[in-house]
Amino acid sequence: MIASHYAEPLERRVEHASALRAAASDDAEIIRKLAKGETFDLLDDSLGWAWGYAGEDRRVGYVASEALA
């Protein structure tokens, strides 16, 4: 069982424009761009990558932890 599936998301703000990626890597496919000030719903944060979802379409992916406040 993966506990993060049942975790309550923590609302964060994007500090600077960044990319929502398909995997926790700078080389991973970009799912969408995240604008400064946009909301990111954080589910997990480890090894420098935050996993969660963003936007009205709630696209799930990874963003560099340093991009969030």
Side-chain angles (χ1 to χ4, degrees):
M1 178 185 318
I2 299 173
S4 59
H5 286 262
Y6 303 100
E8 188 72 30
L10 301 173
E11 186 176 288
R12 297 291 185 253
R13 293 281 171 195
V14 177
E15 282 270 309
H16 55 84
S18 191
L20 183 67
R21 297 185 177 274
S25 168
D26 288 325
D27 297 327
E29 172 191 358
I30 296 174
I31 296 171
R32 69 185 292 270
K33 298 287 186 174
L34 300 175
K36 180 179 179 177
E38 188 171 349
T39 299
F40 181 83
D41 291 303
L42 176 70
L43 295 169
D44 187 41
D45 191 349
S46 62
L47 302 174
W49 290 95
W51 177 67
Y53 54 92
E56 291 180 18
D57 56 355
R58 297 173 59 132
R59 297 296 305 264
V60 175
Y62 294 85
V63 65
S65 299
E66 65 188 19
L68 302 177

